[in-house]
């Protein structure tokens, strides 16, 4: 595994420089803001109802954190064990360092099976590598079968939430979309009817597809087992009906033992959607065996790096990889709640996206994102595996605006957010604060001549009130108290 994985794939993400403009557009749209506020309030209330005992929740979070940290501490060994046991189970294992490699592996499998149609269960890693675009370029239809993913695919959009991809859409918009895009469908706002329309379309496709693709929530090293969490049954259809099943996942999803899955699964569903348990929990241990009547005849697992080894190599940033993709940090983030997922322009929006995207895409493309946080701490407080997201955001802000410290390997895009003005300002502050006499003179002058403070202060006053020195410094106030 390389520690400096560079993404060379031409990903169709929105540059970070567009973030402020896109965020401003959403903030200026009261309809979208109301929709996101309502949806996030609903999800927060459902999660809170699942954790009535704060002490019990803390014990569960600590257990989950320890499992994830233990798994990551043994990641190389567990990945080798996972591969060996998967091979014993009849699964072909592939390793992909970049999105291009992942897409090439899957495309090669599809071509060997003369694939015209692939049905997909929900997989954020397939979104991450932009598999649908790669399949389209190769003349293969890749059809999303998760209802939310199906809706955003019909609309030509990207998911705006990692658990609920179409949360930004109303039933009226979905009704219009189905009437326009699905042949023979009339406009209806009946939610049950809309769901049935999707099911009717997808049911036929499951039977026609040569290949089914799914994500993986947990990969168990000791048994070579892949666990898949879902609510709609489409994941099970993708993994059992087509003759070929391809699973794709990030390398960090491995745990040592099956018993390690149980605490993580319990926190995942309750943190994500406020459910005690999902409708389906699939445990996959290989392709169809002799005498079995269903299941794929061939099965593959694609393990994707895409910058994860960069995070793994740094002890603090390794905590990013503890994530189990519940989305709770997004639901509780005051920034995400106001601007939604599309403003970020990356596969993973919200707080988790702000700390994982710089490793996948480099800081040059994403250095703005760690700044899209109030650092209120809500994301860290609700994270079921106790990722210290605010601390990691601060670290990435520093890495984006400074050169690597001596003895530390630079991150991809290290220092990309550094500007001449900011560098000068930092050097000025360092010079001032390291000289007590000069600092006292500065404080005395700033408090006495505060009326000269300019109303316009570069980019600071674009969205904030001007900085103005206090009438008296702390030193002056303490001196007055002592008199």
């Amino acid at each position: 595994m390389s520690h400096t994985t560079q993404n060379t794939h031409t990903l169709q993400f929105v540059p970070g420089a567009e973030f402020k403009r896109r965020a401003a557009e959403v903030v200026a749209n009261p309809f979208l803001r109301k929709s996101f506020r309502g949806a996030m309030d609903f999800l927060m209330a459902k999660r809170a109802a699942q954790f009535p005992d704060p002490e019990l929740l803390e014990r569960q979070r600590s257990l989950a954190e320890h499992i994830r940290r233990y798994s990551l501490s043994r990641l190389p060994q567990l990945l080798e064990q996972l591969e060996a046991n998967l091979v014993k189970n009849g699964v072909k294992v592939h390793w992909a360092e970049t999105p291009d490699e992942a897409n090439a592996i899957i495309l090669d499998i599809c071509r060997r099976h003369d694939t015209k149609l692939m049905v997909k269960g929900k997989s954020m890693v397939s979104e991450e590598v932009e598999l649908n675009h790669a399949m389209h370029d190769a003349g293969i239809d890749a059809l999303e079968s998760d209802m939310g993913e199906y809706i955003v695919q019909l609309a030509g959009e990207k998911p705006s939430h990692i658990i609920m991809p179409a949360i930004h859409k109303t039933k009226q918009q979905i009704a219009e979309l189905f009437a326009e895009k699905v042949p023979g469908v009339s406009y209806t706002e009946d939610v049950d009817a809309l769901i049935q329309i999707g099911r009717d379309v997808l049911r036929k496709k499951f039977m026609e597809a040569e290949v089914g693709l799914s994500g993986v929530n947990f990969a168990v090293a000791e048994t070579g087992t892949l666990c898949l969490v879902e609510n709609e049954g489409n994941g099970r259809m993708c993994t059992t009906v087509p003759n070929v099943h391809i699973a794709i996942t990030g390398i960090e999803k491995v745990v040592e033992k099956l018993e390690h899955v149980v605490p993580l699964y319990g926190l995942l569903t309750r943190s994500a959607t406020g459910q005690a348990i999902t409708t389906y929990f699939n445990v996959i241990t290989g392709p169809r065996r002799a005498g079995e009547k269903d299941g794929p005849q061939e099965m593959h697992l694609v393990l994707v790096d895409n910058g994860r080894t960069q995070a793994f190599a740094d002890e603090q940033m390794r905590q990013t990889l503890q994530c189990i993709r519940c989305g709770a940090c997004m639901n509780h983030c005051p920034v995400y709640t106001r601007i939604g997922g599309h403003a970020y322009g990356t596969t993973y929006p919200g707080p988790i996206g702000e700390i994982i995207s710089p490793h996948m895409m480099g800081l040059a493309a994403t250095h703005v994102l760690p700044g899209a946080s109030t650092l209120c701490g809500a994301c860290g407080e609700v994270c079921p595996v106790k990722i210290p997201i605010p601390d990691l955001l601060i670290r990435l802000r520093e890495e984006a605006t400074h050169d690597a410290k001596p003895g530390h390997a630079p991150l991809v895009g290290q220092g990309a957010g550094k500007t001449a003005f900011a560098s000068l300002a930092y050097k000025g502050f360092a010079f001032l604060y390291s000289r007590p006499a000069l600092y006292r003179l500065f404080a005395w002058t700033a408090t006495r001549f505060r009326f000269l403070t300019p109303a316009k202060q570069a980019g600071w006053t674009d969205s904030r009130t001007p900085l103005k020195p206090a009438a008296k410094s702390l030193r002056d106030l303490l001196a007055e108290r002592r008199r």
Side-chain angles (χ1 to χ4, degrees), residues 46-47 49-51 60 163 217-218 228-233 236 261-283:
K46 288 196 69 177
R47 175 192 174 276
Q50 288 292 334
F51 297 114
Q60 292 171 331
I163 300 298
N217 292 96
F218 310 106
L228 183 60
V229 179
E230 53 148 342
N231 272 316
E232 300 175 12
R236 186 163 296 181
V261 172
V262 179
L264 298 174
Y265 177 46
L267 283 173
L268 170 62
T269 58
R270 288 182 289 169
S271 300
T273 55
Q275 294 174 276
I277 191 170
T278 48
T279 310
Y280 295 88
F281 181 73
N282 303 286
V283 179

Side-chain angles (χ1 to χ4, degrees), residues 5 66 112 147 156 168 177 195 209 211 255 377 406 408 410 424 477:
T5 302
H66 290 150
R112 283 193 278 111
M147 188 56 65
H168 58 288
L177 186 67
I195 294 295
V211 171
V255 296
H408 289 75
L424 187 63
L477 293 171

Side-chain angles (χ1 to χ4, degrees), residues 126-148:
S126 75
E127 293 282 348
E128 177 187 317
V129 303
E130 297 210 323
L131 177 64
N132 289 4
H133 293 288
M135 293 297 106
H136 179 268
D137 292 344
I140 298 172
D141 287 336
L143 180 67
E144 299 287 351
S145 63
D146 173 89
M147 188 56 65

Side-chain angles (χ1 to χ4, degrees), residues 129-363:
V129 303
E130 297 210 323
L131 177 64
N132 289 4
H133 293 288
M135 293 297 106
H136 179 268
D137 292 344
I140 298 172
D141 287 336
L143 180 67
E144 299 287 351
S145 63
D146 173 89
M147 188 56 65
E149 293 279 358
Y150 176 64
I151 290 168
V152 294
Q153 186 179 35
L154 275 181
E157 299 174 353
K158 293 179 181 297
S160 61
H161 191 287
I162 63 173
I163 300 298
M164 286 153 287
I167 200 168
H168 58 288
K169 287 200 170 297
T170 64
K171 65 179 181 181
Q172 291 81 9
Q173 290 173 324
I174 296 170
E176 291 171 1
L177 186 67
F178 277 21
E180 178 188 353
K181 300 280 187 176
V182 182
V185 168
S186 301
Y187 182 92
T188 175
E189 294 182 6
D190 184 288
V191 174
D192 291 338
L194 290 170
I195 294 295
Q196 191 58 50
I197 291 168
R199 283 178 175 164
D200 290 342
V201 171
L202 295 171
R203 182 68 62 169
K204 297 173 187 171
K205 299 297 183 183
F206 286 126
M207 307 305 292
E208 296 172 5
E210 295 87 0
V211 171
L213 183 134
S214 75
V216 176
N217 292 96
F218 310 106
V220 184
E222 70 169 359
T223 57
T225 301
L226 305 182
C227 302
L228 183 60
V229 179
E230 53 148 342
N231 272 316
E232 300 175 12
N234 64 303
R236 186 163 296 181
M237 295 290 280
C238 288
T239 58
T240 57
V241 177
N243 282 333
V244 179
H245 170 212
I246 304 172
I248 181 171
T249 190
I251 56 174
E252 80 279 19
K253 294 290 183 69
V254 64
V255 296
E256 183 181 29
K257 302 177 180 179
L258 203 55
E259 66 192 57
H260 290 170
V261 172
V262 179
L264 298 174
Y265 177 46
L267 283 173
L268 170 62
T269 58
R270 288 182 289 169
S271 300
T273 55
Q275 294 174 276
I277 191 170
T278 48
T279 310
Y280 295 88
F281 181 73
N282 303 286
V283 179
I284 304 166
T285 53
R288 183 190 308 185
R289 293 173 174 79
E292 294 181 342
K293 295 183 177 178
D294 60 11
Q297 295 176 351
E298 187 175 313
M299 184 176 164
H300 301 259
L301 173 66
V302 182
L303 288 160
V304 179
D305 180 343
N306 193 23
R308 289 166 172 82
T309 46
Q310 175 178 272
F312 178 78
D314 184 288
E315 188 174 352
Q316 183 187 22
M317 292 189 183
R318 184 182 298 178
Q319 297 170 96
T320 306
L321 304 180
Q322 292 171 206
C323 180
I324 55 174
R325 302 290 190 269
C326 69
C329 60
M330 299 160 60
N331 303 343
H332 291 74
C333 175
V335 177
Y336 177 89
T337 300
R338 283 159 179 79
I339 66 174
H342 287 159
Y344 294 83
T346 52
T347 298
Y348 304 98
I352 186 59
E354 292 161 9
I355 60 173
I356 191 68
S357 300
H359 298 292
M360 295 176 174
M361 303 169 67
L363 278 168

